[in-house]
Structures are given as C-alpha cells and as structure tokens.
Amino acid sequence: MSELAPGGNLPLPDGVVTVRVPGPFDVSALLTDDGGKVRDDGDFVFYNQPDAPGVRLRGDTLTVDPARLRAGVTRVTVAVSPGEPGTPLSRLPSPTLHVGDAGGGPLARFAPPRPGQETVLLLAEVYRRGDRWKLRALGQGYADGLAGLARDFGVEVDDAPAPPAPAPVPGGPAGASRPAPAAVPPGGGTAPSAPSLDPDGLLGPVNQARTAAGSPPVSLDARLMAAARAHAAAMAAADLLGVESRDGVSVYQRVTSAGYAYLTIGEHLVRGPRTPAEFLAYCRRTEAARRVLYAPAFTHAGLAHAGGGPSGDTYWTAVWAGPLTPDGLARTTADVVGLTNRERVRAGLRPLAPDPRLAAAAQAHSADMAARGFYSHTCPDGGRPWDRAAAAGAGRRSIGENIACGQRSPAEVVEGWMNSPGHRANILKPDFTHLGIGFAGGGRAGTYWTQLFGG
C-alpha cells in the first residue's frame, strides 16, 4: 500500500476503485472535464444526490467505475466537509483517505496536513492520463463551504436557509438532519441578488491599464474580495500598514482562509489615497508597483479599502492572484528543476533527474510549512528531510534540502538559493543525482519552496 503526500500520484488498476473517508465527514465528488468544470448539477455527487454515471456514494465510501463515467468526464475530484455544516475541519479528527481496489484490497492512504479554518477539503482526484487512470493526492481547502467548492467547479449553489424541519439523513444517526444546498445548473434558475463586487468601479480602469500594458484582464473573485476587505479593515483599525496586521494574520493567510488556493500572488498595500483614481495612480507610480499591476500571470483580483481608524486615513488592499492547478504546479516545479540543472551544467556537473518520491516529500513539506505557519527543515513534530524522504519511499543514500519563503517565481527562488553559500553547495554537490520540488502558497510569507536532493 502506498502512503501519499500532497501532489503524489498513483497508477490505478483497471476497473472499479473505492475511496473511503471515515469519521464525522460528508464525502462528495465532482465529475469534470480537463478544464475542471462540471457540465451541470448532475455531476455533483453528495449526500442529497448520491449517484451519477460511474460514481456512487454510500455512507463514507465513494465507488468510482471509470468505464461507466459519462462521455467527457476525465476527472473525479473527491472532497470532504464536516457532517455538521460550518464546523472548521480543525475541530475534527484529521480526514484520512483510503483507496481500495474492486475486491477491497488496499491501494493507497493519504493523510493531508491538518486543516485550519477550512470547511471543505479537496482530498484527491481520480484522473485520466492517456488511456490509463491515476490518483493524485491534493489537500487543498475552502473556508466558505460547499458554496466555494461548487463555484470553482461551475455549479451554482444557493445557500438559502434550510426549511424548518429537514428530512432525516438516510443512513445517518437517529434524528440526524442536514440543510441541503440546492444545486442549480449554470445559467439556470434564479439566483438571489448580491452586492456588487466592484462598488468603487475600480475594475474597469485596472483592466484598461493592464490592456494598455499588453496584459490580459483580471476578474474580481469573491474570496479575494473578502480577504482584501478583511485586511484593509484590520490595518485601518490598528492604524498600521503591513503585510501582517496587528491581529497576527497575514494577507496571504486571509486569502487561503477564504478558500482561494493560489499559484501566483501579488499585493498592493497602500495608506492615504482618498479615491480609486488616486489608488490606481499609486499602483502605476513606481516600477515595482507597476510590475505587480501588470503581471500577466494574474487572472483574479480582490480590491478593497477601509477607514475609520485613529488617524482617519484610508487603507487600501489589492490582492492579485492566479489559481493553483495541478498543471500549473507541475510547470512551476519543472521550471525550478530546469533552472537548477542549468546552474549545474554551467558548473560542469551532470543535471539532476526528477524523482517523484522526492517531489512528493518536498511538496508535503512546503504545504506543511504554509498550513502550520513554520519555516524550518525540522517539522513541529520533529521530522527531518531524510525522514520525509524515507516516508515517501525515496531510497536514496544521501539527502539534502533547500527551503525558501517569500519568492514569487522559480527564477527568483533559484537565484536566491544560488546567492546563498549553503544552498548553492547543495545545488552544486556532485554526489546528488536526483531532485524533487515542492511549492505551496499561504502562511505568513505567502510562498514556501522546497528542494529535496538525493544521491
């Protein structure tokens, strides 16, 4: 049986597989195409809709039969949420995924880093690669419940209050009941009115500026807007400008707590402008600020301001981000491997070969640092690089590790490592033959990188 780390992959045998998550959780699944979107609400399998072609939910177990999936489905994403809606997963036992074959034999186990304030966690996805099916461990969370999950996958969810007397849950404990979110097909039904995401009309001028600079437009994201509002309000209340406000929470932690998992991130934190035009002028004033405003990698934004603090000044928060996707993460880590090997070739050394087991251990460490808010080669529970490598199944005689935080791109992080004698020594060590890369967003620093070397 394989023990998976976040980002780890496992080839699946032909035929039916079972996915079980024991504990006080609701298990759900979303059936999507390669673009990550459902066709309609029939592709959302959960306790009130437990069957779809090729997928069946019974209690805590999903049964997936790839041969019976509807045409066009290439991914089945497995998620868990607390059985009691709204409960942060941090208050419950850590969910553990158990994967088995058609006969019940164990194939894999995945225990993600312990969640924080998330109320929904994406645990894994069963996906098609060529003519074979594989399983990938995820461990990404949402703080806004099934609504955030369904929104990202293309299902509209109406979180209206439940009826006064919801029906008992089949198979649940006596007297158990849950409010059932009503899934509405995209473009169908009538959605309740919502406040404008852009009350200041800032998005239009922002996208005009980006277009003039040759960058694609961004769209406002409700999660990023919530994070921006919370951070602007915290700065105004404390009359203190900074990435981390006086309450000890960074703007990046607000983003991930709101349910947005990112691959790229940027921010403008500004004190003083009184109008949207003045704020945008600030964002275009210096080369560094313009670089963030015009970055082509950003696809979403959150823009907010707050006042009313002791000084009466206005505090602005703009968060710019690109979402974390499996393909995007793969490209980012491959870029780090390529840049690392370029340095080795320049030094007359052989390039390092990618090692998926080292990569799984490196990814797990980056995710753990972001989730638990530490920055060290030693985990809070005492685990060290060679322990993580061994747990991932990497049978290397020698192990080395570089970590970094705060860098926003593969080029920036490799340059930083090369400018540090200790990290440079690992990159250029002749005895190392293999390499794995990990990346995670969040925490106090915003980004966490891990290089795990083996020889």
Side-chain angles (χ1 to χ4, degrees):
M1 184 177 71
S2 299
E3 289 282 345
L4 297 177
N9 292 272
L10 175 75
L12 294 174
D14 293 335
V16 172
V17 294
T18 61
V19 177
R20 176 174 175 261
V21 187
F25 308 108
D26 285 330
V27 182
S28 56
L30 295 113
L31 287 61
T32 67
D33 56 19
D34 285 332
K37 297 296 183 182
V38 300
R39 183 178 63 182
D40 54 39
D41 65 320
D43 287 341
F44 188 14
V45 175
F46 64 115
Y47 48 81
N48 264 25
Q49 186 171 270
D51 292 281
V55 179
R56 183 181 66 197
L57 173 63
R58 296 294 183 268
D60 61 6
T61 302
L62 279 164
T63 301
V64 181
D65 185 352
R68 295 186 60 238
L69 294 170
R70 70 161 177 83
V73 171
T74 58
R75 298 181 190 177
V76 177
T77 303
V78 180
V80 294
S81 56
E84 185 65 30
T87 303
L89 287 167
S90 59
R91 298 181 187 175
L92 302 176
S94 186
T96 301
L97 184 86
H98 298 266
V99 183
D101 58 23
L107 296 175
R109 178 179 177 274
F110 172 50
R114 186 168 183 81
Q117 293 303 304
E118 295 92 338
T119 54
V120 170
L121 193 67
L122 303 184
L123 279 180
E125 62 180 6
V126 176
Y127 67 101
R128 188 173 67 197
R129 180 61 55 86
D131 60 351
R132 298 300 306 272
W133 287 84
K134 304 178 73 174
L135 180 130
R136 178 185 289 114
L138 298 176
Q140 304 164 13
Y142 290 80
D144 53 351
L146 289 176
L149 174 78
R151 178 187 59 241
D152 275 9
F153 283 80
V155 180
E156 296 182 11
V157 172
D158 178 7
D159 280 326
V169 179
S177 61
R178 302 187 187 97
V184 182
T190 301
S193 60
S196 170
L197 282 181
D198 191 19
D200 297 310
L202 189 51
L203 183 62
V206 162
N207 280 333
Q208 289 174 8
R210 287 177 60 88
T211 299
S215 297
V218 294
S219 60
L220 295 179
D221 182 274
R223 296 158 296 175
L224 296 182
M225 291 295 293
R229 290 189 190 107
H231 198 72
M235 291 192 297
D239 211 11
L240 180 68
L241 183 70
V243 166
E244 187 173 303
S245 52
R246 191 163 288 170
D247 58 8
V249 181
S250 75
V251 66
Y252 317 115
Q253 289 168 313
R254 298 188 198 280
V255 168
T256 54
S257 293
Y260 191 103
Y262 59 82
L263 184 64
T264 55
I265 190 83
E267 71 284 338
H268 288 103
L269 306 175
V270 186
R271 173 179 179 173
R274 297 289 181 175
T275 67
E278 290 180 6
F279 171 70
L280 185 56
Y282 172 88
C283 295
R284 304 172 73 172
R285 186 173 302 161
T286 67
E287 181 182 353
R290 288 194 299 271
R291 191 181 308 121
V292 174
L293 177 64
Y294 300 148
F298 299 146
T299 58
H300 298 106
L303 311 168
H305 62 87
S311 69
D313 283 343
T314 301
Y315 286 80
W316 296 77
T317 299
V319 182
W320 317 90
L324 178 69
T325 64
D327 289 344
L329 179 61
R331 286 192 300 270
T332 294
T333 56
D335 286 347
V336 175
V337 172
L339 291 167
T340 299
N341 280 333
R342 185 176 69 179
E343 298 296 340
R344 287 180 63 89
V345 170
R346 284 176 175 174
L349 299 171
R350 294 181 62 183
L352 302 171
D355 184 320
R357 295 181 176 85
L358 292 176
Q363 182 62 34
H365 189 54
S366 288
D368 194 23
M369 288 191 290
R372 292 203 274 179
F374 72 96
Y375 178 64
S376 172
H377 293 287
T378 303
C379 299
D381 54 10
R384 295 178 180 271
W386 40 90
D387 301 319
R388 295 188 286 273
R396 302 292 169 188
R397 290 177 296 177
S398 60
I399 294 292
E401 184 178 79
N402 287 343
I403 58 175
C405 65
Q407 293 83 359
R408 303 302 174 89
S409 69
E412 186 178 347
V413 73
V414 173
E415 180 182 7
W417 280 326
M418 288 299 294
N419 289 334
S420 166
H423 298 93
R424 179 187 178 94
N426 270 342
I427 289 175
L428 301 182
K429 185 173 181 178
D431 293 344
F432 287 145
T433 57
H434 291 77
L435 176 65
I437 304 297
F439 167 85
R444 299 175 69 178
T447 58
Y448 293 82
W449 306 79
T450 302
Q451 277 185 318
L452 195 58
F453 303 87

